[in-house]
Amino acid sequence: MNRGRLEAFSDGVLAIIITIMVLELKVPAGDTLAALAPMRSAFLAYVLSFVYVGIYWNNHHHLVHTVKQVSGPIMWANLHLLFWLSLFPVVTAWAGNNPQAAWPSAIYGVVLLAAAIGYLILQRTIIRHGGGALDRIIGSDPKGRISPLLYLSGIGLAFVRPWISELLYALVAAIWLVPDRRIERALSAKE
Amino acid sequence: MNRGRLEAFSDGVLAIIITIMVLELKVPAGDTLAALAPMRSAFLAYVLSFVYVGIYWNNHHHLVHTVKQVSGPIMWANLHLLFWLSLFPVVTAWAGNNPQAAWPSAIYGVVLLAAAIGYLILQRTIIRHGGGALDRIIGSDPKGRISPLLYLSGIGLAFVRPWISELLYALVAAIWLVPDRRIERALSAKE
Amino acid sequence: MNRGRLEAFSDGVLAIIITIMVLELKVPAGDTLAALAPMRSAFLAYVLSFVYVGIYWNNHHHLVHTVKQVSGPIMWANLHLLFWLSLFPVVTAWAGNNPQAAWPSAIYGVVLLAAAIGYLILQRTIIRHGGGALDRIIGSDPKGRISPLLYLSGIGLAFVRPWISELLYALVAAIWLVPDRRIERALSAKE
Amino acid sequence: MNRGRLEAFSDGVLAIIITIMVLELKVPAGDTLAALAPMRSAFLAYVLSFVYVGIYWNNHHHLVHTVKQVSGPIMWANLHLLFWLSLFPVVTAWAGNNPQAAWPSAIYGVVLLAAAIGYLILQRTIIRHGGGALDRIIGSDPKGRISPLLYLSGIGLAFVRPWISELLYALVAAIWLVPDRRIERALSAKE
C-alpha cells in the first residue's frame, strides 16, 4: 500500500468527522434569538473541536509526509488515532450540552488525551519503521510531551470547576495551532 | 503541504456539507400530498443553500488553483472559511422551518456574511503569500464588494419582512452563479 | 478546472448519498425478529435506491470520461444532476415507510424522473461543449428515451396500485444495470 | 474505468461508513458517569465494527491492487460488498443496544457473513477477469474458508447465549487483523 491511499482515507475520515459534528448542533426549537441562547456552550464546544480536528489534519499531513512505505503497523496505528478522533462528535455534544457538569468535561478530556496518545504512537511507529529522518526532526518534542500533562490536569480539574478544564483544553489547542514547522523546514531543506 | 491535499480535503468537506443538508429535510409525517406542504419553505431553503455551496465549491477551485505552495496561514484561512460553510446545514434548517420569523432569516444572513468574509480573507491571504497574479486578476472585485452589503441589508430587512431578506440572499446567489471568469481567462491565457 | 476535480467531487457526493441513505433505516425498536418486519419495505426501497446510485455512479464515470475541458455549463449541469440525486435519501425513506400510499411512490418517481432528465441535460451539455465523439457514440440512446416514459407511467400508476409503480422503477434499474458499453467500447477502441 | 476511481469511490464509502457509525452512539441523556453505563455495550459493538471496517478497508486495498482493468462485473461485485458493509451502522446499533437479545446478535452475524461472502465473490470475480496472479497468491485461503463457518456458528449460538456469538465475531476480527501478507509479499517480490 502506498502513502497516497493512507492519506486519502485519513483525509476522508477527518473531513467527515469535522462535518458531522455539526449534526449534533440541533436546530433551535423556537424562532427567537432566545432560542439560540441554550446553544451557546454547544457552539463553543463545536468551535473547539473543529479547531482540534483542523490541528490533527494539519499535523497528520506533516507526519505522514515522512512515510515512504506504509506497513501494517503504521496502518493500524493510523486507524487507532482515527478511532479516538471519531469519538469527537459524541463527546463534543455531551460536553457542550452539559457545560456545568464535571463528567462530560472530564470524558471530553479523556478522548483528547487518548487521541494525543494515539498520535504519539503513530509517530513512534513511523520512526520505528524507517522514519529515521522524522526522529531527528522531532527531537525533544516539547508540545507532544506537555499536552498529555495539560489534558490530565484538565480531566482532574473538571471535578473542581468544569470551565477550568475547558480553558486548559483550549490552551492546548492554542499551543498546537502552529503547525509542526520542524518537519516542514527539514522537508523543504531536503527538497 | 502541496495544493492537491488542500483541494482534496476542501472538496471532501464541501461534498459532505452539500449532502448532509438533506438530512435536515425530515421525512414527511403523513403519506399524502398535504404532508409535503409544510416542507415547502424548508425545501426552498435547501435549494438556495445547495446553490450557495455549489458556488463556493466552484469559486474555491478557481481561487486555490492560483496557489503554488500551501503555507500555514493559507491552510487556516481555508479552514476558517470551511467552518462557516459547515454551519449552513443548521441555519438552513432553522430558516427553512421558520420562514415567517425574523431571527432565523437574520442569522442565516449572518452565516452567509461570515462565509463571504472568510472567502475574502482566504483571497487576501493567498495574495499576500505570493499570489501576485491573483491580485491583478481579481482587480476591483465588484462582486466581492457588493455581496457583504447585500447580506447586511438582508440581515436588517429580516426584521421588516423575512421574505425580503431571503430574496436578497437569492439575488446574491444569482450574481455569483457565473464563475469568476477573470481568473479562468487569465489562467487559460497563461497555459 | 480539469476533469479530475469534477470527478472527485461527484464521487464524494455520490459516496455520501449512497451511505447516508442507511441513516434513514432506523434501528428497530424491539429486540425480536418481529421488530424487523415493519422495516421490510424500507429495506427494499433502500436496496433499489442503492442500485440506482450505483448505476448513476457507473454511467456518470463513463459520461464524464469523454469530457476534455470542464466549462461552467458542464459544472452546473453536473451540480443539477447531483441535486436531484441528493433527494434520494429522503424520498426513499418516505416511499419505504409508506409502501401502500400513492403519493410517496409518485414523488419517488418524480425524483427519479428529474434525475434522469438531469442526466440527459448533462449529456447534452457535454455534447454541445465539444463532445462530438460522445454524440456519435450515444447514437439513438434507446435507454435514455424509454426511461422517462417508464417513470411517467410509474408516477401515474402509483394512484392505481403503488406496488405497480415500484415494479416499474425496479424495471428501469434492471434496464440500466448494464453500463453503457457503447462508450466503453468506443473509448477502448480509441486507446 | 481505471482502478483509481474504483479505489477512490470505495475509500469514500468506507470512510463514511466508519464515521457515521458514531452517529448511532447517542449523546448520553444525563451528565453523570452513570449516564455512560448503558452505552457500554453500544461502545463495544462500535469498537468491533470499527475494527471490521478497518480490516475490510485494508484487505480491499490489497485485493483491488491486483486489478488491471475494471470491468462491469468487478464494479458490481464491489458495489455488492459495499452494500453489506453499508448495513454495519444499523446492525451495530441494534446489537449494541440489545446485548442480551438473540436476534440482534444473530442478524449482526448475518450481515458479517453476507459481507464475507461479498468479499469472496469480489475475489472470485477479479480472478476470473484476468487476475491469474491473485489466484496463485491466495492459494488455499484458510482465513476466507474458516470465517463463514465461525459466523454461522455465531449466528446459531446467539440463540443459546448472545455473548458467545459476539465473542466468535471478535475472534474472526482477530484472525483477520493481520493484513493478507501473501498478496503483499507477492507484489513486493514482483516490483
Side-chain angles (χ1 to χ4, degrees), chain C residues 7 11-12 14-16 18-20 22-23 25-28 30-33 35-36 39 43 46-47 50-51 54-55 57-58 60-62 65 177 179 181 184, chain D residues 1-2 5-6 8-9 12-13 16-17 20 23-24 70-73 75-76 78-80 82-84 86-87 89-90 93-94 97-98 100-104 107:
Chain C
E7 290 178 336
D11 278 3
L14 289 171
I16 299 158
I18 214 169
T19 321
I20 64 173
V22 88
L23 291 178
L25 280 187
K26 299 299 170 205
V27 178
D31 62 6
T32 59
L33 190 62
L36 281 183
M39 292 179 67
F43 182 74
Y46 174 65
V47 173
F50 192 97
V51 170
I55 291 168
W57 172 64
N58 192 18
H60 184 270
H61 269 208
H62 284 96
H65 204 67
L177 216 62
R181 294 199 181 283
E184 212 170 343
Chain D
M1 191 188 321
N2 59 27
R5 301 193 73 180
L6 187 78
F9 184 74
V13 170
I16 299 158
I17 289 172
I20 64 173
L23 290 178
E24 306 284 6
V70 179
S71 61
M75 206 216 69
W76 283 103
N78 188 56
L79 268 177
H80 173 252
L82 293 180
F83 173 77
W84 292 109
S86 82
L87 295 180
V90 66
W94 199 35
N97 295 340
N98 300 284
Q100 261 125 31
W103 277 103
I107 297 293

Side-chain angles (χ1 to χ4, degrees), chain A residues 1 5 75-76 86 94 104, chain D residues 7 22 30-31 46 58 61 177:
Chain A
M1 193 187 322
R5 302 193 72 179
M75 206 215 67
W76 283 104
S86 82
W94 199 35
Chain D
E7 291 178 337
V22 88
D31 61 5
Y46 175 66
N58 191 18
H61 269 207
L177 215 62

Side-chain angles (χ1 to χ4, degrees), chain D residues 39-54:
Chain D
M39 293 180 67
R40 201 176 33 195
S41 65
F43 182 75
L44 286 176
Y46 175 66
V47 173
L48 182 58
S49 291
F50 192 97
V51 171
Y52 261 112
V53 178

Side-chain angles (χ1 to χ4, degrees), chain B residues 19-39:
Chain B
T19 321
I20 63 173
M21 274 197 305
V22 88
L23 290 178
E24 305 284 6
L25 280 186
K26 299 299 171 205
V27 177
D31 61 6
T32 59
L33 190 62
L36 282 183
M39 292 179 68

